[in-house]
Amino acid sequence: MEFGRIFVKFHGLSNARRFSAAGRALGLGLYLIPCFVAPAQAQFAVCNQTLNVMNVAVGRYDYENFTTSGWWTVGPNRCANVIDEVLNARYVYVFAQDVFGKEIMNGATPMCIDTKRFDIVGEEDCLVRGYLEARFKEVDTFKSERWTLFVYPPG
């Protein structure tokens, strides 16, 4: 709406109705401002393009150590935001398996995982520390603020 049209609509109303309508318009404007002003939140998303439900774990270098986290369950043709903060490293490491434990996506970088929800600091001596070892795929995000990885069926 243009300002002139708003003025004409308010001008024809009584004072009480004019202030009530103006208050609603101001409230709506204040409600919508964060939608247009707030910067987009950085994230790393994983999208499942297979026909199976998959469980996803991610690893990344976090200033001093590698950390791994999991599990996110992602249905077929669905996505999950697995990192919601600013990507502070160029590479993110991803491991995915179906609900039966069959690897959907693996790589060459060994890191630690657990059978239940986990946040693990360090990628060495997984078995000694009571964890399992899995081979994570290295994903180059090119230092982007947002990245979406599409996982397709193997083969």
Side-chain angles (χ1 to χ4, degrees), residues 44-48 54 56 58 74 78-82 94 149 151:
F44 185 89
V46 176
C47 294
N48 180 1
M54 70 179 189
V56 176
V58 294
V74 188
R78 299 279 186 216
C79 298
N81 292 331
V82 296
V94 180
L149 174 68
V151 179

Side-chain angles (χ1 to χ4, degrees), residues 8 15-18 25 27 32 35 51 60 74 79 85-86 94 96 103 105 115 123 132 145-146 149:
V8 170
N15 280 342
R17 291 182 62 196
R18 187 178 309 148
L32 292 176
C35 296
L51 298 176
R60 60 188 166 148
V74 188
C79 298
E85 62 265 359
V86 175
V94 180
E103 293 180 3
M105 184 175 73
T115 56
E123 80 282 10
L132 301 171
E145 287 187 1
R146 304 183 97 164
L149 174 68

Side-chain angles (χ1 to χ4, degrees), residues 100-111:
F100 302 108
K102 182 181 176 193
E103 293 180 3
I104 294 174
M105 184 175 73
N106 65 352
T109 306
M111 292 186 170

Side-chain angles (χ1 to χ4, degrees), residues 71 95 97 103 108-114 120 123-128 130-136:
W71 296 100
F95 175 78
Q97 61 186 14
E103 293 180 3
T109 306
M111 292 186 170
C112 303
I113 61 171
D114 203 347
I120 302 170
E123 80 282 10
E124 296 178 351
D125 300 323
C126 298
L127 296 174
V128 172
Y131 302 117
L132 301 171
E133 184 178 285
R135 304 268 175 191
F136 283 63

